[in-house]
Amino acid sequence: MTDRISPKEALTLFQSADLLGLGMWADLIKKAMHPDEVCTFIIDRNINYTNVCINKCTFCAFWRKEDDRDAYLLDRETIFRKIEETIALGGTQILIQGGLHPALDISYYVDLLSSIKERFAINIHGFSPPEICYIADSSDLTVRETLSILKAAGLDSIPGGGAEILSDRVREILSPRKIASSRWLDVMEAAHGMGMRTTATMMFGSIETPSDIIAHLDAIRQLQDRTGGFTAFIPWSFQPGNTELGRRNNASSTCKGTKKAQQQIRSQKTSYGATAVDYLRVLALSRIYLDNVENIQASWVTQGLKLAQVALRFGANDFGSTMIEENVVASAGVSYAVSLPDIIDAIRSAGFVPAQRDTYYNLLKSF
Ligand code: SF4
């Protein structure tokens, strides 16, 4: 591809193009890639099997210590019941992910996957790269060995969580215990090499710079050039509620991150949270830059249905999941009560044909 936009051009565009011009360009690209005016969504459920996590990321409101009163690890029956409910509602996928629980090793994950597959015909989209690496490290396996074992047990595809911003400078402040950018990319490359499809995400609106956003998009584009394994890109904005990072200007807050992270957070005086305009600019730039990723998701979970409708004219062609259940963003105090009819109405009133899809973007049903 010789006419694709360069990182330098993308930075200039991101910093100086007017919002509507950027949106119109992204919309033109989207129309060329998806000329049928369909907006897809998937019926699925997030099952967060545990909130216990040793990483303690400063932007995360979900994690708990093992001995916290509200720490949990879901039992098998609860997980099975959630899957039954999902299938009864027409769901085709479960997104299963959780914290890095120190008491779990690969046998827990193998048992979980195989017990689900024995009972249900459903796609298991599960375990983001930080979980895969944690399972590998705690079981003394390589990432490839771990993926191969999990795949054999029933893991179908992998969510792009844990990418945040693929800059180790940013990660050192936001989530110093989390895997480095290169490891996130390595897990995805290994999964693609085994024929597993994955998504890619980006969390912006915290401490990153415009250059960090471009570097993140470029890392995704380069990997996709090599593997073609990403089904979609999902940018979403940092939700500061109930997080250490969100409390950074409050000197009396009780910091929960590492000492170094606490010092770095307190030494900065910026307030966080992307605006609607920030979101639309990042979304449009993503559509323009990622010319090799077919689908861009609007994030109604973080932006609300109304902005998600606008997003469909700024490069997005997919509404993501119906989210029968969502816990992570809700922990940050952001919760939109949205039903399947609400999603269908929102897509239709934005001028598009709503259509249910599967994990791999095959159309299942139009509304
Ligand atoms: S973002 Fe994930 S890895 Fe980080 S603390 Fe939350 S659950 Fe743990």
Side-chain angles (χ1 to χ4, degrees):
M1 297 185 194
T2 52
D3 56 353
R4 64 184 0 184
I5 184 172
S6 71
K8 197 171 163 201
E9 290 165 338
L11 186 59
T12 305
L13 196 65
F14 188 49
Q15 291 180 312
S16 54
D18 74 278
L19 175 68
L20 292 183
L22 205 57
M24 286 168 74
W25 187 2
D27 195 41
L28 274 177
I29 293 171
K30 186 199 99 167
K31 280 179 179 151
M33 295 173 93
H34 302 276
D36 48 12
E37 297 284 290
V38 166
C39 173
T40 47
F41 60 87
I42 189 165
I43 300 179
D44 87 340
R45 179 175 201 152
N46 278 13
I47 298 178
N48 302 112
Y49 57 96
T50 183
N51 62 352
V52 173
C53 188
I54 58 152
N55 263 7
K56 304 179 181 177
C57 302
T58 61
F59 61 85
C60 175
F62 178 69
W63 67 268
R64 296 291 182 274
K65 296 196 298 288
E66 216 175 346
D67 57 358
D68 280 344
R69 271 194 314 150
D70 52 353
Y72 71 81
L73 174 65
L74 294 183
D75 59 46
R76 232 22 88 77
E77 280 59 45
T78 303
I79 292 174
F80 293 161
R81 182 180 44 74
K82 287 173 184 287
I83 298 173
E84 278 166 10
E85 290 169 359
T86 305
I87 291 172
L89 290 166
T92 59
Q93 170 181 283
I94 52 162
L95 195 174
I96 187 159
Q97 56 184 358
L100 311 186
H101 194 306
L104 305 180
D105 66 10
I106 195 156
S107 61
Y108 168 84
Y109 296 91
V110 167
D111 287 351
L112 177 63
L113 290 165
S114 51
S115 66
I116 292 172
K117 284 292 184 182
E118 277 165 20
R119 289 165 178 78
F120 305 103
I122 196 157
N123 191 90
I124 305 179
H125 188 57
F127 313 132
S128 57
E131 288 165 279
I132 300 285
C133 290
Y134 190 63
I135 298 167
D137 295 347
S138 58
S139 305
D140 209 15
L141 296 164
T142 66
V143 162
R144 273 181 179 71
E145 287 166 344
T146 303
L147 284 170
S148 172
I149 293 168
L150 296 178
K151 187 180 178 208
L155 183 62
D156 294 299
S157 54
I158 295 179
E164 278 77 67
I165 288 285
L166 294 171
S167 149
D168 290 335
R169 177 188 60 77
V170 174
R171 297 172 88 77
E172 176 60 28
I173 299 171
L174 290 187
S175 48
R177 294 186 179 92
K178 209 167 219 172
I179 56 171
S181 312
S182 58
R183 233 178 152 202
W184 187 95
L185 292 162
D186 285 347
V187 171
M188 290 312 194
E189 187 154 14
H192 296 170
M194 291 177 192
M196 299 173 87
R197 305 300 300 276
T198 79
T199 55
T201 64
M202 176 172 71
M203 185 197 78
F204 62 94
S206 63
I207 59 166
E208 82 285 343
T209 64
S211 298
D212 293 324
I213 289 176
I214 307 300
H216 183 110
L217 293 176
D218 197 55
I220 299 294
R221 190 169 77 176
Q222 286 189 35
L223 179 52
Q224 183 76 335
D225 278 345
R226 293 199 296 279
T227 66
F230 290 122
T231 54
F233 183 69
I234 312 150
W236 56 282
S237 60
F238 166 55
Q239 306 299 309
N242 301 327
T243 68
E244 182 53 48
L245 196 58
R247 289 191 290 266
R248 62 185 297 173
N249 290 327
N250 180 358
S252 64
S253 72
T254 306
C255 291
K256 294 202 293 182
T258 63
K259 273 199 178 134
K260 190 174 175 190
Q262 289 170 27
Q263 282 161 1
Q264 285 171 308
I265 288 166
R266 284 177 173 145
S267 71
Q268 297 178 48
K269 294 290 175 194
T270 314
S271 62
Y272 297 131
T275 65
V277 170
D278 295 333
Y279 174 72
L280 293 174
R281 290 185 79 83
V282 169
L283 188 75
L285 184 75
S286 303
R287 179 61 292 165
I288 293 166
Y289 199 85
L290 297 174
D291 54 7
N292 53 3
V293 178
E294 205 173 332
N295 302 292
I296 304 284
Q297 281 187 22
S299 176
W300 64 261
V301 177
T302 57
Q303 309 302 319
L305 272 186
K306 290 178 180 172
L307 190 56
Q309 287 181 302
V310 180
L312 297 180
R313 295 290 177 201
F314 278 75
N317 63 290
D318 184 87
F319 244 46
S321 161
T322 54
M323 298 271 181
I324 295 166
E325 177 179 348
E326 199 287 325
N327 303 298
V328 176
V329 176
S331 302
V334 178
S335 183
Y336 294 98
V338 173
S339 66
L340 177 58
D342 289 337
I343 286 178
I344 291 170
D345 282 353
I347 293 172
R348 194 175 284 135
S349 61
F352 296 88
V353 178
Q356 184 188 354
R357 64 163 172 86
D358 67 11
T359 307
Y360 308 101
Y361 286 78
N362 301 304
L363 295 190
L364 302 177
K365 183 178 175 186
S366 293
F367 294 84

